[in-house]
Amino acid sequence: MQRMDVMETIVIQSAEAEGKEAALSAADSDLSKAEFIWTLQATWHLVNMRLEMEQAFDQPVCKKKKLWDVVSDKVNAKLSESSDTSVAVSAHECDLKWRNLLATYRKNRERVKKLGVAAVHWPFFKAMHQVLGRSRDQPQHKVEQAVTSKRFTPILPTPPPVVTASPCASRAPQDVLQLYMELQERKMNMWAQQKALEERKIDAINNLAQAIAGLAHRSGTQGHTDGQ
C-alpha cells in the first residue's frame, strides 16, 4: 500500500514538473514574440550607435546587414545595462527605425533652412546634423571617398590648349564697330571707283563708235562726189 502511495506521489510530482516546464516554454515563446517598444532612451542608443558607425555605412561597398547586426548588438547591450526592456531589438527593426529618423531629420533640415534653428524642437536633430550635415552638404566628399577606395589611377582631363589672343580680340566693342565701318566705307569707295571706270569705258566706246560712224559717212559722201 505504501509502495503505491509513493508511486502516485512520483507521478504527481513528474506531472507538475512537466506542467511547469510547459508553462516556462510558453512564456519564453510569448516573450520572443513580444514587440519591441522604441522608448526615448532606446532611440537615443540607436542614434548614438548608428552615428558612431556612419563612416562604415558610408563606404561605397559594404554589407549593411552585418553592420546593422553590430548596431543591434550594441543597442541591446546598452538596454541590458540599464534594464529598460527584456525584449531584444533586431537588426531589421533598427534599420527601419533609422529610416524613419532620417526622414524626420530631412524634414527638420528643410525647416531650418526656411525658419532657422530655433524653429526645430526635435531632440535628435542636433546630434544627427553634427554628423550627417557635413556629408550631406558636401557631395564632393563622397566622390573623393569613392575615388580613393578604388585601386586605380583616375584619368585626369586634358587641359585645354593655350590660345594666344589676336590683336583684334583685345579690341573694345567700340573699336570693332569703328573698324567695321571703315571697311564698309573702303568697299563703297572701291565700288564707286570701279563704277566710274566702267562709265569711262562706256563713254570711250561710244565716242569711238561715233568716230567710226563719222568716218564711214564721210568716206561714203566723198566717193559719191568723185563718181559724179
Side-chain angles (χ1 to χ4, degrees):
M1 188 69 176
Q2 291 179 354
R3 184 177 180 183
M4 291 183 63
D5 292 339
V6 171
M7 291 181 64
E8 289 178 358
T9 302
I10 293 175
V11 171
I12 293 173
Q13 290 178 349
S14 177
E16 290 178 351
E18 291 178 357
K20 290 180 180 180
E21 290 179 358
L24 290 174
S25 177
D28 292 339
S29 177
D30 293 338
L31 187 62
S32 63
K33 295 179 181 179
E35 182 180 359
F36 181 82
I37 304 299
W38 284 103
T39 62
L40 181 62
Q41 188 65 28
T43 306
W44 267 117
H45 289 323
L46 172 64
V47 170
N48 292 331
M49 299 305 169
R50 176 57 180 78
L51 292 178
E52 287 180 1
M53 300 179 62
E54 172 64 15
Q55 187 175 2
F57 275 92
D58 202 32
Q59 294 297 322
V61 179
C62 65
K63 294 183 179 180
K64 300 293 180 67
K65 178 62 172 62
K66 291 184 177 180
L67 294 178
W68 280 117
D69 288 337
V70 176
V71 172
S72 63
D73 291 342
K74 291 184 176 181
V75 172
N76 288 324
K78 287 291 184 180
L79 293 175
S80 299
E81 292 176 1
S82 57
S83 301
D84 285 346
T85 180
S86 58
V87 181
V89 61
S90 65
H92 179 65
E93 289 173 320
C94 290
D95 187 7
L96 291 179
K97 182 64 175 178
W98 180 251
R99 292 174 187 269
N100 294 333
L101 291 171
L102 275 181
T104 306
Y105 164 73
R106 294 190 183 101
K107 292 179 181 178
N108 282 278
R109 188 181 175 197
E110 295 299 322
R111 185 178 179 85
V112 168
K113 293 180 180 179
K114 296 178 181 178
L115 304 176
V117 181
V120 176
H121 305 286
W122 192 48
F124 309 106
F125 179 80
K126 183 177 180 180
M128 293 180 66
H129 191 63
Q130 286 178 348
V131 177
L132 302 180
R134 295 191 299 271
S135 59
R136 299 298 189 272
D137 291 335
Q138 299 177 358
Q140 184 64 25
H141 167 71
K142 286 190 175 183
V143 175
E144 293 175 355
Q145 192 176 36
V147 171
T148 54
S149 65
K150 301 292 183 180
R151 296 182 179 179
F152 65 89
T153 302
I155 301 175
L156 300 177
T158 304
V162 179
V163 179
T164 304
S166 62
C168 296
S170 61
R171 291 178 178 266
Q174 294 84 357
D175 296 338
V176 174
L177 180 60
Q178 182 66 28
L179 179 61
Y180 175 77
M181 295 299 294
E182 291 177 358
L183 291 175
Q184 292 297 323
E185 186 177 357
R186 291 179 183 177
K187 289 182 180 180
M188 292 295 295
N189 292 334
M190 292 177 62
W191 181 80
Q193 292 176 3
Q194 186 175 4
K195 182 180 179 182
L197 181 60
E198 293 294 332
E199 290 177 352
R200 291 177 183 177
K201 288 181 179 180
I202 293 174
D203 291 339
I205 292 173
N206 291 333
N207 294 332
L208 180 60
Q210 290 178 1
I212 293 172
L215 291 174
H217 178 70
R218 289 178 185 178
S219 299
T221 303
Q222 186 176 0
H224 179 70
T225 303
D226 295 338
Q228 290 181 353

